């Protein structure tokens, strides 16, 4: 996962009917990454905010390492920092311009994608993204002090939600909108599986601790990290157990960030590209998404846990990476082979930012 933008291939995607304009493949790519980046910033801000609250309440510092692990940044982080303290982790993920996974870097990448999309996105979208990125770029050490951190995270989350609202209300419903939905739901599916995978194994208490106040507080923090706490309490009347929390985040079709919901909307968007706009190259991606949905649906959460939750989530993450690859190959094929001194991006991923 990193930030930045490269020059995508300029290939027209065929129109879906009379009067439907072509959508350049570079627009498709940039739209997906704009959606992924804005979703990623909101997720990261929420995770930092919840971790700060939990660590402060429990007088422990071990929670900060989980943010590094969720983002698969262990090697990059520990090359520059000896310990995963609050100061080091927050600085690394908010204002560190050398970290491609920091909020300041991701916000810059989002705006560069939006700049490429100026012929497509609304004036309101562009103005808000511009103001948001300018505000993020001015953040410094004083803004991420413990006394200011919660307010900063709240502002970042609100700005991302404002972007989603403006996009929902002003983005024209054509191929570009479907690619935006693909990006948003790919990111949501990836982030929720990473959150569950890391938190499940780091928070599992001893047998004696199951059901304790600390245990329940930890799982409540996981739900809040996914903006799922209130939805969970509305629908799950039983105790807050690991299985109930994991089941809700994986399989509850009414929760917007549940894995099942993201996969359903992802499949819907790819399907409409194929049926409404004649983009038949999306068959391989649609088939892989359908396999993911079927595998999730046919198992109970207890089955998944018994057979190996980590192994299941790891498989889902690999499949999501392959879905992104199928979409890239279908809609922005790689350029002609470049000279040896300047090799072309791998597997058509001219903007491959997925965490690995």
């Amino acid at each position: 996962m990193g930030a930045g933008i490269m020059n995508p291939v300029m290939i027209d995607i065929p129109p879906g009917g009379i009067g439907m304009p072509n959508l350049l493949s570079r627009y498709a790519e940039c739209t997906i990454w704009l959606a992924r980046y804005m979703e990623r910033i909101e997720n990261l801000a929420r995770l930092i905010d919840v971790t700060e609250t939990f660590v402060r309440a429990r007088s422990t510092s071990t929670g900060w390492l989980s943010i590094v692990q969720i983002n698969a940044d262990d090697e990059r982080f520990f090359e520059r920092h000896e310990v995963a303290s609050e100061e080091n982790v927050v600085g690394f993920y908010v204002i560190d311009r050398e970290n491609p996974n920091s909020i300041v870097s991701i916000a810059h990448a989002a705006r560069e994608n939006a700049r490429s999309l100026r012929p497509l996105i609304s004036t309101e979208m562009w103005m808000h993204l511009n103001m948001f990125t300018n505000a993020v770029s001015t953040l410094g050490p004083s803004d991420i002090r413990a006394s200011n951190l919660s307010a900063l995270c709240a502002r970042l989350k609100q700005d991302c939600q404002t972007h989603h609202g403006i996009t929902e209300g002003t983005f024209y419903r054509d191929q570009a909108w479907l690619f935006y939905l693909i990006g948003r739901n790919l990111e949501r599916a990836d982030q929720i599986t990473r959150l569950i995978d890391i938190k499940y194994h780091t928070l599992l208490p001893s047998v004696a601790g199951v059901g304790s106040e600390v245990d329940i507080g930890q799982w409540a923090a996981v739900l809040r990290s996914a903006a799922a706490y209130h939805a969970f309490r509305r629908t799950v009347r039983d105790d807050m157990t690991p299985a109930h929390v994991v089941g809700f985040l994986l399989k509850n079709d009414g929760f917007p960030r549940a894995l099942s919901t993201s996969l359903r909307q992802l499949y819907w968007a790819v399907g409409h590209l194929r049926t409404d706009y004649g983009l038949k190259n999306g068959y391989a991606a649609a088939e892989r998404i359908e396999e993911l949905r079927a595998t999730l649906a046919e198992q109970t959460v207890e089955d998944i846990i018994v057979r190996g939750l980590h192994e299941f989530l790891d498989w889902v993450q690999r499949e999501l990476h392959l879905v992104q690859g199928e979409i890239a190959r279908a809609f922005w094929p790689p350029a002609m082979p470049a000279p040896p001194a300047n090799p072309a991006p791998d597997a058509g991923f001219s903007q491959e930012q997925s965490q690995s």
Side-chain angles (χ1 to χ4, degrees), residues 138-320:
T138 64
L139 294 175
S142 62
D143 297 293
I144 60 172
R145 291 174 182 163
S147 58
N148 298 328
L149 188 57
S150 182
L152 171 62
C153 289
R155 190 167 78 245
L156 290 168
K157 289 184 289 182
Q158 185 176 50
D159 282 339
C160 290
Q161 290 159 5
T162 299
H163 161 78
H164 295 316
I166 292 173
T167 302
E168 180 73 27
T170 65
F171 202 1
Y172 188 72
R173 275 17 180 203
D174 60 0
Q175 303 105 308
W177 170 248
L178 293 173
F179 281 109
Y180 186 92
L181 292 180
I182 288 171
R184 183 173 70 187
N185 286 289
L186 271 173
E187 187 66 25
R188 284 184 176 180
D190 180 73
Q191 291 288 340
I192 204 70
T193 53
R194 290 178 183 277
L195 174 66
I196 296 169
D197 193 21
I198 297 300
K199 290 295 188 180
Y200 182 83
H201 291 286
T202 58
L203 295 186
L204 276 182
S206 64
V207 175
V210 175
S212 67
E213 181 182 350
V214 172
D215 183 37
I216 294 172
Q218 289 173 328
W219 288 106
V222 172
L223 289 167
R224 293 185 189 279
S225 296
Y229 181 80
H230 290 289
F232 178 88
R233 281 306 194 190
R234 281 184 58 189
T235 57
V236 180
R237 301 299 182 183
D238 299 325
D239 293 336
M240 188 180 294
T241 65
H244 288 150
V245 173
V246 171
F248 183 84
L249 295 178
L250 286 181
K251 295 172 69 70
N252 191 294
D253 290 333
F255 178 58
R257 286 183 168 80
L259 177 62
S260 60
T261 305
S262 297
L263 292 177
R264 184 181 72 246
Q265 294 184 353
L266 186 58
Y267 185 75
W268 180 89
V270 173
H272 276 277
L273 283 175
R274 300 181 65 239
T275 58
D276 294 1
Y277 296 98
L279 305 184
K280 303 303 182 184
N281 290 343
Y283 174 77
E287 190 174 52
R288 194 174 291 278
I289 298 165
E290 182 62 15
E291 180 184 355
L292 268 166
R293 296 182 68 200
T295 304
L296 178 64
E298 69 189 13
Q299 302 179 78
T300 66
V301 68
E302 289 78 13
D303 291 335
I304 293 172
I305 291 174
V306 168
R307 294 170 184 171
L309 180 61
H310 170 73
E311 289 73 17
F312 176 77
L313 295 174
D314 192 52
W315 174 76
V316 171
Q317 290 163 17
R318 290 197 305 270
E319 288 297 302
L320 290 171

Side-chain angles (χ1 to χ4, degrees), residues 2 5 12 37 71 77 84 101-102 113 117 133-134 168 203 228 241 252 269 274 293-294 299 312 324 329 331 346 349:
I5 181 169
D12 284 345
Y37 288 145
N71 288 282
F77 178 85
N101 299 334
S102 69
N113 279 278
L117 293 169
T133 307
N134 287 340
E168 180 73 27
L203 295 186
T241 65
N252 191 294
R274 300 181 65 239
R293 296 182 68 200
Q299 302 179 78
F312 176 77
Q324 174 74 46
R329 282 184 287 276
F331 301 125
D346 180 47
F349 282 75

Side-chain angles (χ1 to χ4, degrees), residues 89 117 126 259 354:
V89 173
L117 293 169
W126 170 247
L259 177 62
S354 294

Side-chain angles (χ1 to χ4, degrees), residues 97 103-104 107-108 111 130-140:
R97 296 178 185 277
I103 288 174
V104 68
H108 175 75
R111 181 170 63 179
N130 219 22
M131 291 187 294
F132 172 67
T133 307
N134 287 340
V136 170
S137 68
T138 64
L139 294 175

